[in-house]
Amino acid sequence: MRACRYWLVSAGLMLSVSAGQAGAAEKSFDVVAARYEFRPARLEVSLGDKVTLKVHSVDTDHGFAIKEFKVKVLAPKGGAVVEAQFVASKVGTFRFTCSEYCGSGHSRMKGLLVVQPAGGTQ
Ligand SMILES: [Cu+2]
């Protein structure tokens, strides 16, 4: 019966591996911060995705923040690329904002992160 038990164990391993890959992926986005908008202004990911945002400014100091995922980086003038990483651990639509005062349109500088249920974007 030893062979039988081996097959049960390996079947279980295969199931857990494929469940882990079903929705989650690594996703990377280049985000431009400019007076007074983010491009793109809408990011879509799936639940469980490991998200990397590479943010750079094309004019003055800007910030990039998503409160719900504790993301907050400064994208300095000069255009250096700053990275923010987080796991999209909840489904929903979340606002991202500029967290560094950048001028009269600062409060308009925002966008949306949409986290779909796992597998929802495929
Ligand atoms: Cu700003």
Side-chain angles (χ1 to χ4, degrees):
M1 294 311 285
R2 188 170 269 179
C4 182
R5 191 185 301 152
Y6 172 78
W7 280 109
L8 284 175
V9 168
S10 55
L13 282 176
M14 286 170 66
L15 279 177
S16 63
V17 167
S18 55
Q21 289 174 339
E26 297 199 8
K27 297 221 174 115
S28 177
F29 298 91
D30 291 309
V31 178
V32 174
R35 290 193 183 98
Y36 292 103
E37 60 178 6
F38 291 106
R39 298 191 292 266
R42 183 185 170 95
L43 304 172
E44 290 196 20
V45 300
S46 296
L47 181 66
D49 284 352
K50 189 178 169 194
V51 183
T52 301
L53 303 175
K54 296 175 182 173
V55 187
H56 79 276
S57 168
V58 292
D59 41 46
T60 189
D61 287 348
H62 291 288
F64 182 97
I66 312 173
K67 209 194 308 174
E68 289 83 355
F69 295 105
K70 297 191 165 63
V71 167
K72 190 175 183 182
V73 292
L74 171 71
K77 77 174 152 194
V81 176
V82 291
E83 283 196 9
Q85 282 193 324
F86 63 97
V87 174
S89 54
K90 355 177 198 198
V91 169
T93 300
F94 307 95
R95 186 169 291 266
F96 56 82
T97 58
C98 180
S99 52
E100 190 73 22
Y101 184 77
C102 55
S104 61
H106 169 68
S107 60
R108 296 201 305 269
M109 232 184 122
K110 45 184 84 151
L112 292 177
L113 168 74
V114 180
V115 182
Q116 308 272 11
T121 54
Q122 262 75 37

